[in-house]
């Protein structure tokens, strides 16, 4: 009798175990993380972004962009349900690599998407390469990523950028200011420029690009000032920049709190220079952060120019209650839509979706320029080729950012001429 009870109990445990495996211990419909119809085929997509920390505001835009893009296909690619794995970089390379490894080993992601910081990109390239995870369209654009790729193109062929390296974009500021000078809209008091930025791969990459751009037109670089990402007490740095007596101060950073502090404190210390603040508009609430202290500042950022882009902006704000930026939300949205196309074509060609088939399709079709994306809401065309990778193709009709000038909460395009909305205005605070 005792033996019979043991056998019955053991049999019951087996039945329960099989039942739990079949039902996934949870069952149910779609979840907000993108999992749907438990029990079918699943494509696990790792989304790398700053979801906590001083850049969490960008992470909010990333998340909304991803959700809205995949909602267009009901979170499915063919007969695969899409499951999101949110990889929180915390704006820290070391923490990002640990989180990425965990997403690979614990969550078994098949593919990675997006990323914000250059320093995180440089660190996570190795994780993706080591685990052979194809990672698409990262916005960390430092040339250090390109140098790393070029050191071993086969090893790092799993990492594809979605933002061009700084030196391919930063020269637009010089062109815009040169044009303003030639038209008599601005007369610099001297040919001196000072550089500032966050002390990261991104900040220093842009700083190096700016130095080169201005030196090429014969300007003197009179100093450089870098600070810790997220820093908000910048008055001493700004006094130093002011005392350099430069006609232009130029720099870039990725932290909204730092931008708010920099712009408002620049007004407080009486900066007498044209300010180039590359990336101020990376969050939608840039004007709420800075107010009229942002008047006359130059930035380089895509504009909400198409009806589709404006509709996306309204839909995003209605759904999430925050104002999206073109760089933090719309550009990632386009790239996620591009990836969805890539995944659909991969499934058609190979009959299955996994890291190997997605990587193979990407190498054969995307990296060679055979598969491009022209249905975006920001750029006319997203494409890559053997000469551009790991960067997108840059130029008119491809990946390009206009130069804009802010005034009273609006950013008006001043370069290139084909998109021009307003001429350069010489800042009223310059004596």
């Amino acid at each position: 009798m005792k033996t019979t009870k043991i056998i019955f109990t053991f049999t019951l445990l087996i039945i329960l175990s099989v039942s739990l495996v079949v039902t996934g211990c949870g069952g149910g419909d779609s979840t907000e993380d993108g999992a749907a119809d438990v029990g079918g085929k699943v494509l696990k997509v790792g989304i790398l972004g700053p979801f906590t920390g001083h850049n969490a505001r960008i992470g909010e835009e990333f998340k909304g962009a991803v959700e809205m893009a995949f909602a267009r296909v009901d979170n499915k690619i063919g007969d695969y349900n899409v499951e999101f794995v949110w990889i929180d970089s915390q704006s820290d390379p070391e923490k990002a690599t640990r989180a990425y490894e965990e997403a690979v080993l614990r969550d078994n992601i098949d593919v990675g998407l997006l990323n914000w910081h250059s320093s995180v990109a440089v660190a996570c390239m190795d994780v993706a390469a080591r685990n052979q995870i194809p990672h698409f369209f990262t916005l960390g654009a430092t040339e250090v990523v390109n140098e790393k790729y070029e050191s071993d193109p086969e090893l790092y062929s799993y990492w594809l950028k979605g933002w061009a390296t700084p030196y391919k974009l930063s020269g637009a500021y010089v062109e815009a200011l040169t044009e303003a000078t030639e038209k008599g809209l601005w007369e610099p008091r001297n040919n001196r420029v000072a550089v500032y930025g966050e002390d990261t791969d991104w900040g220093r990459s842009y700083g190096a690009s700016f130095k080169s751009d201005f030196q090429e037109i014969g300007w003197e670089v009179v100093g450089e000032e870098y600070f810790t990402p997220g820093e908000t007490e910048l008055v001493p740095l700004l006094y130093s920049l002011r005392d350099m007596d430069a006609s232009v101060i130029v720099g870039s950073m990725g932290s909204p709190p730092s931008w708010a502090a920099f712009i408002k404190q620049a007004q407080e210390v009486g900066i007498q220079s044209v300010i180039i603040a590359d990336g101020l508009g990376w969050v939608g609430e840039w004007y709420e952060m800075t107010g009229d202290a942002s008047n006359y500042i130059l930035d380089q950022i895509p504009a909400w120019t198409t009806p589709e882009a404006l509709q996306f902006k309204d839909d995003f704000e209605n759904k999430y209650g925050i104002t999206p930026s073109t760089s933090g939300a719309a550009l990632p949205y386009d790239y996620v839509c591009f990836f969805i196309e890539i995944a659909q074509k991969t499934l058609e060609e190979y009959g299955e979706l996994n890291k190997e088939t997605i990587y193979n399709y990407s190498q054969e079709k995307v990296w060679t320029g055979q598969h491009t994306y022209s249905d975006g809401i920001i750029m006319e065309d997203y494409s890559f080729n053997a000469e551009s990778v790991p960067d997108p193709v840059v130029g008119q009709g491809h990946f390009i950012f206009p130069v804009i000038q802010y005034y009273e909460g609006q950013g008006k395009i001043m370069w290139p001429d084909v998109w021009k909305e307003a001429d350069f205005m010489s800042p009223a605070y310059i004596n």
Side-chain angles (χ1 to χ4, degrees):
M1 187 67 167
K2 189 174 181 181
T3 303
T4 302
K5 286 182 179 180
I6 293 173
I7 293 172
F8 174 79
T9 303
F10 182 71
T11 303
L12 182 59
L13 286 172
I14 292 174
I15 292 170
L16 287 171
S17 298
V18 171
S19 176
L20 287 172
V21 170
V22 171
T23 61
C25 300
D29 300 317
S30 302
T31 72
E32 65 177 6
D33 286 334
D37 300 331
V38 174
K41 297 178 182 178
V42 175
L43 178 71
K44 291 192 175 184
V45 181
I47 314 298
L48 179 59
F51 300 114
T52 62
H54 61 83
N55 270 290
R57 179 60 181 72
I58 292 293
E60 289 184 74
E61 296 198 27
F62 268 27
K63 189 169 185 180
V66 170
E67 291 175 345
M68 288 179 67
F70 274 103
R72 296 176 59 190
V73 293
D74 296 323
N75 288 343
K76 292 179 71 71
I77 305 292
D79 57 347
Y80 282 77
N81 300 308
V82 175
E83 180 179 322
F84 305 140
V85 177
W86 304 101
I87 308 172
D88 186 6
S89 73
Q90 300 182 59
S91 302
D92 181 281
E94 184 178 344
K95 293 176 181 176
T97 54
R98 289 202 299 267
Y100 204 118
E101 286 279 9
E102 187 173 304
V104 174
L105 300 176
R106 186 195 68 183
D107 299 306
N108 298 311
I109 62 170
D110 300 294
V111 63
L113 286 181
L114 305 179
N115 169 55
W116 185 244
H117 296 287
S118 286
S119 53
V120 169
V122 173
C124 287
M125 286 176 74
D126 289 302
V127 184
R130 182 166 60 251
N131 293 283
Q132 299 184 330
I133 300 293
H135 195 110
F136 291 85
F137 311 137
T138 80
L139 306 186
T142 174
E143 78 274 2
V144 179
V145 170
N146 296 56
E147 292 165 0
K148 199 164 187 174
Y149 165 76
E150 289 161 5
S151 72
D152 194 334
E154 183 176 355
L155 176 65
Y156 294 115
S157 60
Y158 291 88
W159 199 263
L160 189 62
K161 292 169 66 180
W163 194 302
T165 196
Y167 73 82
K168 296 181 180 179
L169 300 171
S170 60
Y173 290 111
V174 168
E175 291 189 36
L177 288 175
T178 298
E179 182 181 285
T181 302
E182 292 172 349
K183 289 184 175 181
L185 302 172
W186 174 58
E187 184 177 349
R189 65 178 178 274
N190 55 45
N191 291 343
R192 294 158 62 93
V193 61
V195 177
Y196 68 90
E198 63 183 20
D199 192 8
T200 60
D201 287 327
W202 172 261
R204 289 190 174 275
S205 288
Y206 241 111
S209 296
F210 288 138
K211 286 170 59 180
S212 176
D213 294 333
F214 279 92
Q215 286 170 336
E216 283 182 10
I217 61 169
W219 281 44
E220 178 188 2
V221 179
V222 293
E224 294 179 76
E225 295 283 349
Y226 294 97
F227 53 88
T228 303
E231 179 63 58
T232 57
E233 181 45 66
L234 299 170
V235 169
L237 176 144
L238 284 158
Y239 273 123
S240 178
L241 289 172
R242 189 194 65 179
D243 293 344
M244 291 176 190
D245 187 32
S247 289
V248 177
I249 62 171
V250 55
S252 184
M253 64 183 95
S255 168
S258 293
W259 270 133
F262 184 90
I263 299 304
K264 289 189 286 189
Q265 291 167 20
Q267 184 181 59
E268 292 168 10
V269 305
I271 292 289
Q272 295 282 305
S273 311
V274 169
I275 299 175
I276 294 175
D278 190 272
L280 172 59
W282 286 344
V283 293
E285 289 88 7
W286 61 269
Y287 189 64
E288 287 81 352
M289 295 190 314
T290 61
D292 288 342
S294 61
N295 284 350
Y296 306 106
I297 284 176
L298 303 186
D299 195 358
Q300 194 178 13
I301 193 169
W304 301 102
T305 54
T306 67
E308 294 81 6
L310 292 170
Q311 185 63 57
F312 169 85
K313 183 173 183 280
D314 289 341
D315 291 344
F316 192 103
E317 192 160 0
N318 290 335
K319 184 175 177 63
Y320 297 103
I322 58 175
T323 303
S325 69
T326 50
S327 297
L331 188 63
Y333 174 81
D334 276 355
Y335 274 129
V336 176
C337 290
F338 189 1
F339 169 74
I340 289 170
E341 270 198 7
I342 291 169
Q344 290 168 336
K345 291 294 184 181
T346 299
L347 184 58
E348 290 176 16
E349 186 154 327
Y350 291 92
E352 59 181 327
L353 284 177
N354 54 49
K355 65 180 185 180
E356 289 84 9
T357 59
I358 294 170
Y359 171 79
N360 290 339
Y361 181 86
S362 171
Q363 290 293 295
E364 294 166 5
K365 304 295 185 181
V366 180
W367 286 56
T368 60
Q370 296 179 59
H371 186 167
T372 66
Y373 184 69
S374 57
D375 292 328
I377 61 175
I378 295 299
M379 307 294 178
E380 290 182 34
D381 175 75
Y382 296 89
S383 58
F384 301 80
N385 59 40
E387 288 72 39
S388 76
V389 292
D391 284 355
V393 174
V394 174
Q396 193 71 41
H398 297 284
F399 190 93
I400 187 171
F401 287 172
V403 176
I404 66 174
Q405 186 172 38
Y406 296 120
Y407 190 75
E408 294 184 347
Q410 300 293 318
K412 299 288 187 180
I413 297 174
M414 54 172 285
W415 181 94
D417 282 339
V418 68
W419 294 338
K420 179 173 285 190
E421 298 174 315
D423 283 325
F424 174 80
M425 295 186 293
S426 183
Y429 51 75
I430 294 180
N431 295 327

